[in-house]
């Protein structure tokens, strides 16, 4: 392997200048930096990240903290973060947030310091005031995804508005017997996502003047099997069956569509279903859904911290960035059967 001295000789600069140029340090002319980079490329010289960090105080490493790595939303955000960091020339160190308070404290007070990350991205983690203070003490820019965190910049969708938008779509079609299959309130994720989505559903129903709604909420886990099991129970009795379902996420909605098909219920003619997320499978199932793009949220978070790290004093303002959402109307929703003209054959889709 070529040495730094060989790179310096080929570029016609000192070893110190070559080292500073390759590590990204200041006070190196653009012409010299270009010559050093060309020489290193020709010789196949690879910069030691440890040596570079000693010069610049930077590790070119970003720490990402998340409670889940195998759930769709979190995996999509992580993919967006990883791709953007690679593009920017940064490494990623992933920390899975443990549920135990002692282990969580150890992560923040030991691992983040030991790994010497240049910035931190928290995905679906509601940081405590003491954790925010620790991040400020480390003097590292940080971005949170999933909900508001006082003291650091965060980005998230409005979960209340998401289910309100989904419910209003069904109400506008003429549905009144609507049930929300959402997350179990006893197993809340951070930022009270389950409760906020239920609140948005009930807010829309209240605003529409829909009264006497016993059993309008069925709790389940945020997964395809969770939606399937909840919908099987909900749809089993034709006498109490709703005409529409607002699912807490697309995976629940896809499970509900599967259950309806198993029971011989035609979607959307006999049952309309709307979800939240715009999951990659939602188009395949013809699912009407509230669109959010978690991968783009990850990319935007990286853009924020990379720009902050490029400043002379790396930091970020404490901002709450609202991620826009929109309704993607597909074939899983239509007017309830009761609104079809009498002459309309059963099973034919018409506009309300």
């Amino acid at each position: 392997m070529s040495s730094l001295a060989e790179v310096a000789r080929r570029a016609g600069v000192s070893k110190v200048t070559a080292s500073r140029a390759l590590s990204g340090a200041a006070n190196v002319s653009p012409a010299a930096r270009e010559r050093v980079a060309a020489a290193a490329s020709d010789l196949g010289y690879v910069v030691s990240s440890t040596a570079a960090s000693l010069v610049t105080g930077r590790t070119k490493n970003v720490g990402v903290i998340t409670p889940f790595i195998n759930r769709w939303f979190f995996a999509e955000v992580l993919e967006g973060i990883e791709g953007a960091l690679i593009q920017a020339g940064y490494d990623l160190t992933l920390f899975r947030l443990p549920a135990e308070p002692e282990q969580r404290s150890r992560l923040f007070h030991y691992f983040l310091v030991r790994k010497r990350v240049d910035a931190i991205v928290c995905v679906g983690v509601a940081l405590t005031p003491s954790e925010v203070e620790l991040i400020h003490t480390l003097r590292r820019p940080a971005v949170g995804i999933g909900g508001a965190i006082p003291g650091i910049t965060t980005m998230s969708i409005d979960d209340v508005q998401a289910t309100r938008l989904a419910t209003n779509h069904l109400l506008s079609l003429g549905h009144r017997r609507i049930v929300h299959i959402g997350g179990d309130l006893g197993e809340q994720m951070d930022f009270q996502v389950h409760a906020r989505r239920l609140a948005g559903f009930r807010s829309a129903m209240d605003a529409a003047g829909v009264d006497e709604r016993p059993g309008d909420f069925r709790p389940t886990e945020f997964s395809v099997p969770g939606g399937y099991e909840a919908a099987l129970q909900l749809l089993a009795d034709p006498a109490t069956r709703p005409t529409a379902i607002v699912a807490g996420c697309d995976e629940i909605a896809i499970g509900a569509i599967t259950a309806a098909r198993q029971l011989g219920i035609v979607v959307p003619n006999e049952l309309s279903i709307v979800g939240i997320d715009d999951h990659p499978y939602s188009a395949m199932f013809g699912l009407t859904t509230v669109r959010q793009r978690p991968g783009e949220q990850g990319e935007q978070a990286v853009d924020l911290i990379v720009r902050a790290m490029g400043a002379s004093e790396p930091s970020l303002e404490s901002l709450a960035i609202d991620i826009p959402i929109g309704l993607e109307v597909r074939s899983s929703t239509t007017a309830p059967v009761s609104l079809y003209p009498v002459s309309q054959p059963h099973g034919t889709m018409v506009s309300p």
Side-chain angles (χ1 to χ4, degrees):
M1 182 179 292
S2 300
S3 67
L4 180 62
E6 291 175 287
V7 173
R9 279 196 299 270
R10 176 168 292 206
V13 299
S14 68
K15 284 178 62 176
V16 172
T17 299
S19 175
R20 294 182 66 83
L22 291 171
S23 65
N27 302 324
V28 178
S29 70
R33 194 183 301 277
E34 186 174 334
R35 292 200 309 275
V36 170
S41 177
D42 291 343
L43 295 169
Y45 178 77
V46 179
V47 180
S48 164
S49 59
T50 302
S53 69
L54 291 174
V55 176
T56 64
R58 306 283 180 87
T59 64
K60 301 290 283 186
N61 184 30
V62 172
V64 179
I65 305 171
T66 180
F68 308 107
I69 57 176
N70 60 347
R71 294 190 180 183
W72 175 78
F73 173 83
F74 297 89
E76 287 288 305
V77 173
L78 289 175
E79 186 172 330
I81 291 172
E82 181 186 38
L85 286 176
I86 290 173
Q87 188 71 23
Y90 281 81
D91 295 326
L92 180 153
T93 297
L94 182 63
F95 301 92
R96 190 180 68 82
L97 188 71
E100 301 81 4
E102 183 178 336
Q103 293 297 320
R104 176 173 174 140
S105 176
R106 182 173 172 79
L107 186 154
F108 280 95
H109 290 85
Y110 176 67
F111 285 105
L112 282 181
V113 176
R114 190 185 71 170
K115 293 293 183 180
R116 299 187 64 235
V117 297
D118 290 339
I120 298 165
V121 180
C122 298
V123 184
V125 177
L127 298 175
T128 66
S130 62
E131 290 165 349
V132 172
E133 183 179 354
L134 175 63
I135 290 173
H136 287 324
T137 301
L138 293 174
R139 300 180 66 81
R140 296 292 184 263
V143 173
I145 298 175
I149 304 172
I152 70 170
T153 289
T154 55
M155 48 204 304
S156 61
I157 69 167
D158 184 335
D159 288 297
V160 173
Q161 178 59 20
T163 39
R164 187 184 290 133
L165 183 62
T167 308
N168 281 336
H169 169 65
L170 295 173
L171 290 166
S172 72
L173 293 173
H175 292 277
R176 291 298 181 270
R177 290 162 51 201
I178 308 172
V179 170
H180 174 50
I181 303 180
D184 191 333
L185 301 184
E187 298 179 3
Q188 287 278 10
M189 294 192 296
D190 282 4
F191 304 114
Q192 302 291 302
V193 172
H194 300 163
R196 289 176 60 79
R197 292 188 180 179
L198 174 59
F201 164 73
R202 286 186 167 157
S203 171
M205 296 289 279
D206 290 342
V210 181
D211 299 321
E212 298 182 6
R213 310 189 306 265
D216 67 349
F217 170 57
R218 296 295 179 98
T220 191
E221 66 175 26
F222 262 41
S223 68
V224 174
Y228 173 77
E229 294 295 337
L232 275 182
Q233 297 178 25
L234 174 66
L235 303 174
D237 185 355
T240 60
R241 184 182 300 160
T243 65
I245 291 172
V246 175
C249 67
D250 281 357
E251 289 175 286
I252 290 176
I254 290 169
I257 289 173
T258 305
R261 288 176 178 173
Q262 181 171 317
L263 294 170
I265 300 169
V266 180
V267 175
N269 300 29
E270 297 172 299
L271 177 71
S272 286
I273 300 176
V274 60
I276 297 172
D277 281 337
D278 202 16
H279 188 286
Y281 291 169
S282 62
M284 182 172 67
F285 281 86
L287 178 64
T288 295
T289 183
V290 176
R291 180 179 60 252
Q292 67 165 321
R293 294 189 169 92
E296 291 182 10
Q297 295 177 42
E299 293 170 2
Q300 186 175 344
V302 170
D303 179 65
L304 287 168
I305 60 173
V306 167
R307 284 194 281 116
M309 289 185 292
S312 56
E313 284 292 329
S315 64
L316 273 172
E317 297 179 74
S318 177
L319 303 173
I321 300 172
D322 186 31
I323 301 296
I325 56 176
L327 186 69
E328 188 73 36
V329 179
R330 297 192 177 101
S331 60
S332 70
T333 53
T334 191
V337 173
S338 60
L339 294 188
Y340 290 155
V342 175
S343 60
Q344 184 66 39
H346 179 64
T348 301
M349 290 176 56
V350 296
S351 299

